[in-house]
Amino acid sequence: MIDREAVVRRHSIRYQQPEPEAPLSVGNGELAFTVDHTGLQTFADRYERDAARERGEAATPLGTQAQWGYHWAPNPEGYRLSDTSEAYSSPRGPIQYPTAYDFREDRAASEASGRGAGYYFWTNPQRLHLARIGLLLDGRAPKWDQVRARSQELDLWTGLVVSHFDLAGIGVEVRTAVDPDRDAIAVEVASPLLADGRLAVEIAFPYVQESFEAPPVWDRPEAHSTSSRSEAGAQVWDRRLDEATYQVRAAGTFAVTGEGHHWVLTPDGDTLRAVVELAPALGAEVLDDARAVFDRSARGWEQFWTRGAALDLDASSDPRARELERRIVLSQYQTAVHCSGSTPPQETGLVCNSWGGTFHLEMHWWHAAHFPAWGRPELLERSLGWYAAILPVARRIAAAQGFRGARWPKHVGPEGVESPNEIGPLLLWQQPHVIHYAELLRASAARPGTVRDRYRELVDETAEFLVSFALAGSDGSYHLPPPLMPAQEVYGAARTWDPLFEVSYVRWALQVALGWRRADGREEPSEWAQVAAGLRPVVSDDGHYDAVQDPPRTVYTDHPAMLGALGVVPDTGAIDHAAMLRTLERACERWEWRSAWGWDFPMIAMCATRLGRADIALDALLRTEDKNTFLANGHNRQVPHRMPLYLPGNGALLMAAALLFGGWTGADGTPRRADLPTGWAAVAEGFPARP
């Protein structure tokens, strides 16, 4: 058996100095709190992207964010999403899509060009930075050079951050964690400065900017309201930002003073303990014991690490093995904190905003499909109820475009309102994802019939859309017609037919949907079977697979999505392995790697693994490229300042590792496992059987 605690703890994060690009987060999937070297958000202003840009430094913002915390800016112009519609030609006639917005335009340019509705729905809603919790010295925020970092550790086994530093020459210790079951942050501060009345903790509340990054706004106090009251031995704040409301409660060993949006917690002694809970509406039970939260955090994380799968690469002689194991362990932690909540995550999780804080449904697979593959299906299932909640929206989208079933939007907030732009509404590859999630859960369930009962409607409605989207050819074939933006977003939607990845993925998804009906004893629609059989991956004349099949062409930039046709898509025998190996080798030789994204390297690895080339898979996972960099905190760095972390890269790494080290099922139904190259030795346990 693997000594799981030893594997995890050898990758606990230890800092001796500030790490602005790689700050530490604690969280539970619903709420996350990201801290600087003081264990709080004392220097949050310095970590904001504009401030870091001005200094020419890399930094990641320090957020306090929750899955439920969203804000819609006022809409006095009465913009409607239909104001962004454009007509596209298709073989069935014109179809309207909400694409009349260039996301490179700012507000002024969009309004000047008559695309103000596009900007509004592009930047709304925004995920809120709910509160900033930091230290005050002598009633003011300390200066950067007043703090001398001594040590900071995130104990992955307990979810506890312990920070030691000197402030104005006096020692301070701060302990920070998040409750596993409540959206509550526990803090313990110990220092002689507290007893002297010089040190305190401030809780402050910002507004939010309507923009791509949606940072907190501190200079518009009139735009939002904070009311305070004492209740049941705690302090409660009621927050309102336009129509958005939420509550915050602080309880513990302190007195509270302040007004407006700034409040100060001051203890009577040399230790301050506080539990700060945030919720749309607080419950009656008050959490007031920070140390009890620390204990619950430790138990929750121990349960996380001892359940599901584990991997130990310590016996490997290849010098890269230690780094790969580090990335895998830290990616498990980061995706549990940021990607396991009740809605799909944004690409930067609950650390900071990108795309306004909204989520991209084609990325949800990369964020969270690995949970069942690592024996933790319940962490994916938490977010699938959201798909059921927006099913009426998805049905309306499909019907408005002349299709049956449910068409899932791409870039959305909690309400499922599509974000207009020239790419997202024309993507297709998020559609089979919903069937894939359900199949991953079914394959890992002790009672598969229960899973089919729960997700039957989502699977059927998704399949109905895919079948109605496909177009019959004259020879029994079926095709995916324009307008269609492939996952590799470089071909243009108006003239793209049959991208290989989408053809393979839709084909497989329909086969799964038919299998579900067969298992339930329900009728198998003949049209579904005809479309599945008629969608055909085709080898080009040169013996390779092209990214787009009609007309055949491959551009060697952006995402090498054609490799996902055997990797993301399980092996059903439809893909010729020899042709795909030639395709893989040519892609590795020709690809413009600077244009690739964090999930592309694991996607290459998944394809290589299914082809029996673990050597190529490992090289891809560990390839030295800017967007394949994993920071000291385990985050996959992507675009400094704009997108400083990229959780699809973390989740994709875990899915590739599950395939490479845990195995898969071949096209003939037999279990397969990769033969690792010389220098690699893996002990794997707990990986469930998977497609």
Side-chain angles (χ1 to χ4, degrees):
M1 288 182 61
I2 294 174
D3 184 342
R4 297 184 177 216
E5 185 174 357
V7 172
V8 171
R9 279 210 152 114
R10 65 179 172 240
H11 300 292
S12 286
I13 305 166
R14 299 175 181 89
Y15 292 157
Q16 302 298 321
Q17 61 187 14
E19 295 285 352
E21 190 178 16
L24 304 179
S25 297
V26 288
N28 59 17
E30 285 293 302
L31 172 87
F33 182 63
T34 301
V35 303
D36 59 29
H37 52 294
T38 69
L40 298 171
Q41 298 166 338
T42 306
F43 297 107
D45 287 349
R46 184 183 177 94
Y47 281 60
E48 285 298 328
R49 280 170 278 208
D50 284 347
R53 287 188 190 102
E54 289 177 4
R55 297 192 310 273
E57 298 174 1
T60 296
L62 309 178
T64 305
Q65 295 195 330
Q67 300 289 5
W68 45 262
Y70 277 92
H71 166 264
W72 282 84
N75 183 13
E77 294 84 1
Y79 291 132
R80 299 170 300 171
L81 185 61
S82 59
D83 295 334
T84 71
S85 290
E86 294 180 308
Y88 283 76
S89 298
S90 83
R92 298 182 176 93
I95 303 177
Q96 296 282 330
Y97 289 91
T99 59
Y101 180 63
D102 182 343
F103 62 82
R104 290 170 287 271
E105 289 184 348
D106 61 16
R107 182 199 298 273
S110 66
E111 291 176 349
S113 65
R115 291 193 286 262
Y119 184 86
Y120 181 79
F121 285 102
W122 171 254
T123 57
N124 278 277
Q126 308 92 41
R127 195 186 298 262
L128 293 170
H129 176 43
L130 299 167
R132 182 184 68 198
I133 306 174
L135 295 175
L136 297 179
L137 178 66
D138 298 329
R140 296 186 178 185
K143 295 183 176 3
W144 181 264
D145 57 9
Q146 288 182 291
V147 175
R148 184 175 69 86
R150 291 162 52 196
S151 68
Q152 185 175 54
E153 179 177 0
L154 168 56
D155 183 347
L156 298 172
W157 193 257
T158 65
L160 179 67
V161 173
V162 180
S163 308
H164 293 98
F165 53 94
D166 293 335
L167 178 54
I170 306 298
V172 183
E173 178 185 271
V174 177
R175 294 173 176 264
T176 319
V178 163
D179 193 271
D181 302 313
R182 303 263 291 266
D183 292 348
I185 303 157
V187 175
E188 180 180 88
V189 183
S191 174
L193 288 167
L194 291 168
D196 292 345
R198 299 187 63 197
L199 187 63
V201 171
E202 182 190 50
I203 301 178
F205 303 107
Y207 193 60
V208 61
Q209 185 182 103
E210 184 186 7
S211 68
F212 174 91
E213 295 173 353
V217 173
W218 297 98
D219 59 358
R220 294 192 60 196
E222 78 290 347
H224 55 123
S225 67
T226 304
S227 60
S228 177
R229 66 184 188 277
S230 296
E231 183 179 281
Q235 197 75 16
V236 177
W237 294 276
D238 294 297
R239 294 277 295 134
R240 177 175 289 276
L241 298 85
D242 303 308
E243 298 303 314
T245 61
Y246 64 96
Q247 295 182 308
V248 181
R249 178 168 56 205
T253 60
F254 52 80
V256 179
T257 57
E259 61 182 358
H261 305 308
H262 295 263
W263 297 82
V264 180
L265 314 184
T266 307
D268 181 13
D270 62 1
T271 303
L272 184 154
R273 298 187 187 94
V275 180
V276 181
E277 185 168 12
L278 307 97
L282 291 164
E285 182 186 357
V286 177
L287 291 177
D288 60 3
D289 188 340
R291 290 187 172 178
V293 173
F294 297 154
D295 290 342
R296 284 196 294 275
S297 173
R299 289 195 298 272
W301 280 105
E302 182 176 357
Q303 290 174 1
F304 171 83
W305 292 114
T306 54
R307 294 175 181 172
L311 179 66
D312 186 344
L313 300 178
D314 198 45
S316 300
S317 61
D318 190 303
R320 301 174 298 169
R322 179 82 173 197
E323 171 61 13
L324 182 58
E325 186 185 87
R326 182 189 76 90
R327 295 182 182 190
I328 289 169
V329 169
L330 293 179
S331 291
Q332 290 177 79
Y333 177 83
Q334 297 293 6
T335 55
V337 167
H338 297 289
C339 304
S340 67
S342 56
T343 62
Q346 65 169 318
E347 292 178 330
T348 45
L350 297 169
V351 175
C352 61
N353 283 339
S354 56
W355 311 96
T358 48
F359 31 92
H360 295 221
L361 295 192
E362 89 282 20
M363 290 293 102
H364 191 198
W365 196 92
W366 296 113
H367 283 284
H370 65 87
F371 287 127
W374 279 78
R376 301 181 182 115
E378 70 282 357
L379 299 186
L380 168 63
E381 194 159 19
R382 289 177 184 175
S383 59
L384 293 198
W386 177 82
Y387 287 89
I390 71 151
L391 181 58
V393 176
R395 284 174 171 147
R396 288 196 295 270
I397 292 172
Q401 297 170 1
F403 301 117
R404 305 192 304 270
R407 181 171 192 164
W408 305 103
K410 187 269 194 195
H411 173 191
V412 297
E415 300 88 353
V417 177
E418 183 85 75
S419 178
N421 69 89
E422 60 210 29
I423 293 174
L426 303 171
L427 287 176
L428 186 69
W429 64 293
Q430 73 270 30
Q431 310 304 323
H433 283 350
V434 177
I435 295 176
H436 207 159
Y437 304 143
E439 177 64 5
L440 286 167
L441 294 176
R442 183 208 63 78
S444 62
R447 296 181 178 178
T450 302
V451 174
R452 292 197 303 273
D453 289 343
R454 189 174 303 144
Y455 299 112
R456 179 181 297 123
E457 186 176 28
L458 293 182
V459 169
D460 283 353
E461 290 292 277
T462 302
E464 272 292 288
F465 166 73
L466 293 172
V467 166
S468 66
F469 184 87
L471 192 69
S474 59
D475 57 354
S477 63
Y478 277 84
H479 303 275
L480 301 181
L484 191 167
M485 180 65 71
Q488 186 185 4
E489 300 169 358
V490 298
Y491 297 101
R495 295 175 298 280
T496 294
W497 287 77
D498 291 340
L500 177 73
F501 171 54
E502 283 80 357
V503 166
S504 300
Y505 201 13
V506 171
R507 182 182 188 277
W508 175 81
L510 291 176
Q511 291 172 336
V512 170
L514 286 163
W516 275 43
R517 296 182 73 94
R518 191 178 311 119
D520 289 339
R522 295 186 292 149
E523 177 188 0
E524 298 176 47
S526 59
E527 186 183 10
W528 293 18
Q530 290 167 4
V531 173
L535 289 170
R536 301 166 185 169
V538 177
V539 178
S540 295
D541 292 342
D542 63 358
H544 297 76
Y545 283 106
D546 273 298
V548 174
Q549 298 189 160
D550 185 12
R553 61 199 189 279
T554 300
V555 177
Y556 291 90
T557 187
D558 196 56
H559 308 298
M562 69 280 193
L563 303 179
L566 182 68
V568 175
V569 182
D571 190 1
T572 63
I575 294 292
D576 181 294
H577 281 213
M580 183 56 84
L581 180 57
R582 290 190 290 270
T583 304
L584 170 65
E585 291 173 335
R586 186 162 69 178
C588 290
E589 176 186 346
R590 297 185 182 182
W591 212 264
E592 184 186 324
W593 293 110
R594 287 177 59 84
S595 70
W597 287 75
W599 52 271
D600 293 328
F601 305 97
M603 181 172 64
I604 293 167
M606 293 170 67
C607 180
T609 297
R610 291 193 192 269
L611 291 170
R613 292 300 302 273
D615 56 330
I616 297 177
L618 288 163
D619 287 346
L621 292 178
L622 291 158
R623 186 180 179 92
T624 302
E625 299 290 344
D626 285 347
K627 292 181 186 173
N628 198 35
T629 299
F630 284 72
L631 299 170
N633 60 3
H635 279 304
N636 176 210
R637 183 179 67 196
Q638 214 63 186
V639 182
H641 301 307
R642 192 162 179 81
M643 194 175 292
L645 65 138
Y646 191 62
L647 284 152
N650 296 91
L653 169 69
L654 292 176
M655 185 59 100
L659 198 68
L660 180 60
F661 299 109
W664 70 99
T665 302
D668 59 1
T670 61
R672 302 288 176 85
R673 181 143 333 202
D675 293 326
L676 299 177
T678 301
W680 289 86
V683 180
E685 64 183 29
F687 287 96
R690 53 165 295 194

